[in-house]
Amino acid sequence: MSTTATSHRPAPAVVSRGAIAALALPAILLLALAIRLYSVTFGLPALNDPDELTFELGAIKMLSGPTLNPGWFGHPATTTMYVLAVLTIAVFGLGHLLGRFPTIESFADAIYADPSWVLLPGRVAMAVFAVATIYLVYRLARELFDRNTALAAAALLTVNPVHVTWSQIIRSDMMACFFMLLGMLAALRILRENRWRDYVLAAVWLGAAMATKWPYALTALAVIGAVVARGAAHPAERSQGLVRLALCGSLALVFLFLISPYLLLDHQTALRNMHGEAQVRHLGATGGAPWENAWWYLAGPLATGLGWLGLGFVAAGLAIIARRREAAFVVLPVVLGFAMVLCVQNLVWERWVLSLMPLLAIAAAVAFMSLARRICAFPQPFARVAMAMVALAILVPLALRTESDARARLNDTRQRASRWAEAHVAPGSTILLEHFAFDLLPRPWHFLFPFGSVGCIDARATLGGKIQLSTVQSGRGSRTNIDYGTVAADKRGSCAADYAILTQADRYAAESQAFPEEAAAYRTLMARGTLVASFVPEAGKVGGPVVRIVKFSR
């Protein structure tokens, strides 16, 4: 009797839908982090966003004190400067262990010569907070709707060009979004369970949000909405809910001053800084009537960040959210509150829409999944192909814009001007600079920097003296910008140079009716010299302002 050997091949491994879904969120978050770290070094060691210096100097002031008083409360950005201070300590500690910074003085010399030592870790921290907001968007959308909606919202925010851009800059906005979303999650738990600990958590996150950026006090609208919705569904709890709401508001103020005690202890500085932030006009950011501001945001940063097709889904999603009890009371009040505040301001800034981007991403995802459920009624594979095409139509243009913006950030007009100067300016020359061109510091030149009422100062000597935030604020005064145009008229003689690298001249020329004195100052300056080089931004290729290099005969 013969036997036949039968070979059993192992069955091919099949990845279940559950496993794929479980991997989807980590994949999205890793992609989001990679996108945000790709061009995070833009401009360095130069500072293309001058406000980054304000936050870093606040952190350095606290460390040099040592004190918990950052000396600036414009946003107030206290939590941001705390994070930067911790990172600065970590950089020094690691550098000290490795022998790079044997003393604190050597560390100070290094960061004033090349701020990349502290700027790059700070930017990475902002990118991490940005990715954390994407995770919290996922959590909020999953709690309110379902996992697929949550994944769609996270994916949309991952490639949002506006969100990506401001993820790489040291500012308070991204951290404020983080605390706002935590507060909204606490508000949702209040609506569902009405536990006292959730009121306390909501107060913590609300206090942290306000200590990060004042307008994020609007996070309280989610808590108020939750209490109202809970009271409507459970009439017996209305009185209790109102008492707890009042206590939550009081606790939020307590946590605000615990986090940022010098808002009270140094209240005169805080009031002065807040008054300085309340500008009526600003170069490149002066707003108009509420409807004009609304259109500016809609056609500008919102269309850039979400795309016109995405905005169509946002509109449909908000209509769906309005019919969903929990989402209507937790999400809609915050959306409407921020929208109204943005529209009535004197100024308009792209970064201000960051408060809306996470919530609008959820709205767009809600509409997308609603469409998906309708299309699923059609035969397969038509339904899957149709939804894939819609998803690509939304995401691909945003991803391409994100990539082109990153390319432009890495190829800035200011760094192009620096390369020109390195090739053409003779040693020993005096150069007037309007931006923080730390990349030029190693060159054998004398640098002048415009400094408001003081006139033009010796930039190298000022950095060598370890300039402090208080010095910057005193020189700036009530000026919105520090540039040649805002130098006191009787101090402009201190700005005599062999070359001027001007980054603001064209901006003032474009708004000469609003800033006639500043525009005239640039016209007079440039008429005394010869224009030897110009660098102009190009969409998707070259970023930054128009830069003019003028040579003078002295």
Side-chain angles (χ1 to χ4, degrees):
M1 184 171 116
S2 64
T3 59
T4 304
T6 304
S7 63
H8 296 281
R9 296 181 180 178
V14 178
V15 180
S16 67
R17 288 187 178 182
I20 294 175
L23 293 173
L25 179 61
I28 289 173
L29 296 179
L30 285 174
L31 176 62
L33 183 61
I35 290 172
R36 283 152 180 79
L37 294 182
Y38 168 67
S39 56
V40 76
T41 59
F42 72 93
L44 294 177
L47 276 70
N48 289 347
D49 188 311
D51 288 342
E52 288 187 305
L53 183 63
T54 298
F55 301 107
E56 284 292 353
L57 287 178
I60 290 171
K61 179 183 184 300
M62 288 190 287
L63 294 176
S64 60
T67 176
L68 290 176
N69 184 3
W72 186 79
F73 307 94
H75 286 188
T78 306
T79 57
T80 304
M81 287 186 273
Y82 285 167
V83 168
L84 296 177
V86 170
L87 289 172
T88 301
I89 292 173
V91 172
F92 168 70
L94 181 60
H96 183 71
L97 289 174
L98 296 176
R100 179 63 179 80
F101 308 123
T103 64
I104 293 178
E105 289 74 18
S106 65
F107 179 58
D109 291 338
I111 62 177
Y112 275 94
D114 181 358
S116 303
W117 285 105
V118 290
L119 281 175
L120 185 56
R123 288 182 181 179
V124 171
M126 296 305 109
V128 171
F129 272 103
V131 175
T133 66
I134 296 174
Y135 170 71
L136 293 178
V137 161
Y138 170 85
R139 280 190 56 192
L140 184 59
R142 187 187 62 187
E143 290 289 331
L144 290 170
F145 299 99
D146 55 64
R147 183 170 58 182
N148 289 336
T149 301
L151 289 172
L156 182 56
L157 197 57
T158 291
V159 295
N160 183 311
V162 175
H163 194 269
V164 171
T165 294
W166 295 101
S167 299
Q168 300 176 327
I169 297 174
I170 297 174
R171 296 194 68 91
S172 58
D173 304 82
M174 207 55 69
M175 289 183 64
C177 287
F178 173 76
F179 293 124
M180 176 190 76
L181 291 167
L182 284 173
M184 294 178 70
L185 282 165
L188 181 59
R189 290 192 294 272
I190 289 172
L191 191 159
R192 290 177 174 175
E193 302 173 26
N194 198 36
R195 295 176 302 182
W196 172 238
R197 73 174 188 179
D198 293 321
Y199 283 91
V200 175
L201 282 174
V204 170
W205 303 131
L206 180 56
M210 289 189 291
T212 306
K213 196 159 188 179
W214 294 117
Y216 285 78
L218 292 171
T219 305
L221 294 175
V223 182
I224 295 171
V227 172
V228 170
R230 180 78 185 186
H234 302 84
E237 297 179 2
R238 287 177 184 173
S239 297
Q240 181 195 65
L242 292 175
V243 171
R244 289 184 173 183
L245 178 61
L247 290 173
C248 178
S250 301
L251 275 177
L253 293 177
V254 170
F255 285 122
L256 166 64
F257 294 121
L258 285 175
I259 294 169
S260 187
Y262 283 89
L263 286 171
L264 289 177
L265 299 176
D266 193 7
H267 62 276
Q268 291 182 337
T269 300
L271 291 173
R272 186 167 58 250
N273 294 154
M274 286 186 280
H275 177 72
E277 289 292 302
Q279 300 292 334
V280 175
R281 62 177 187 172
H282 195 292
L283 181 65
T286 304
W291 55 89
E292 292 174 315
N293 292 347
W295 175 249
W296 186 91
Y297 282 112
L298 183 65
L302 289 175
T304 299
L306 296 163
W308 286 107
L309 180 57
L311 286 177
F313 276 94
V314 166
L318 290 175
I320 296 172
I321 286 174
R323 300 193 298 269
R324 298 286 293 268
R325 174 175 165 271
E326 291 183 340
F329 280 94
V330 173
V331 174
L332 276 188
V334 179
V335 171
L336 295 175
F338 273 108
M340 290 178 62
V341 168
L342 293 182
C343 291
V344 301
Q345 295 294 308
N346 294 316
L347 305 181
V348 289
W349 291 105
E350 180 185 80
R351 60 180 176 269
W352 285 356
V353 299
L354 290 173
S355 57
L356 291 173
M357 288 302 189
L359 307 180
L360 298 186
I362 292 175
V366 168
F368 177 81
M369 294 310 302
S370 177
L371 178 64
R373 285 188 287 272
R374 293 175 182 271
I375 290 181
C376 283
F378 292 91
Q380 298 289 350
F382 170 82
R384 291 182 181 177
V385 172
M387 287 313 302
M389 291 179 65
V390 173
L392 290 174
I394 297 173
L395 296 177
V396 169
L398 299 182
L400 292 175
R401 175 61 185 264
T402 294
E403 190 276 333
S404 66
D405 285 353
R407 191 185 322 122
R409 277 194 297 279
L410 291 170
N411 190 22
D412 194 277
T413 52
R414 285 158 287 200
Q415 280 69 67
R416 287 190 158 200
S418 291
R419 291 194 291 271
W420 186 94
E422 290 168 349
H424 295 88
V425 176
S429 298
T430 298
I431 301 178
L432 170 63
L433 293 169
E434 288 194 303
H435 67 289
F436 299 132
F438 285 90
D439 52 337
L440 294 179
L441 273 182
R443 299 298 170 180
W445 303 322
H446 178 63
F447 298 102
L448 297 176
F449 190 80
F451 208 55
S453 59
V454 179
C456 283
I457 60 175
D458 185 324
R460 197 187 298 275
T462 302
L463 290 172
K466 311 297 184 293
I467 186 171
Q468 297 295 311
L469 183 57
S470 58
T471 306
V472 175
Q473 294 301 316
S474 63
R476 178 175 181 172
S478 60
R479 296 167 176 82
T480 56
N481 278 26
I482 296 180
D483 49 48
Y484 180 80
T486 58
V487 169
D490 60 340
K491 298 290 185 180
R492 287 174 186 153
S494 63
C495 302
D498 299 303
Y499 291 88
I501 301 179
L502 304 176
T503 58
Q504 303 296 314
D506 283 61
R507 298 182 69 199
Y508 279 113
E511 298 185 44
S512 57
Q513 290 186 341
F515 301 94
E517 294 181 7
E518 293 87 344
Y522 281 103
R523 287 196 300 269
T524 302
L525 176 68
M526 296 179 72
R528 295 203 304 265
T530 303
L531 182 66
V532 293
S534 296
F535 301 92
V536 181
E538 186 178 350
K541 296 181 180 180
V542 182
V546 175
V547 179
R548 309 288 186 189
I549 300 182
V550 182
K551 182 178 182 181
F552 303 96
S553 297
R554 294 201 299 161

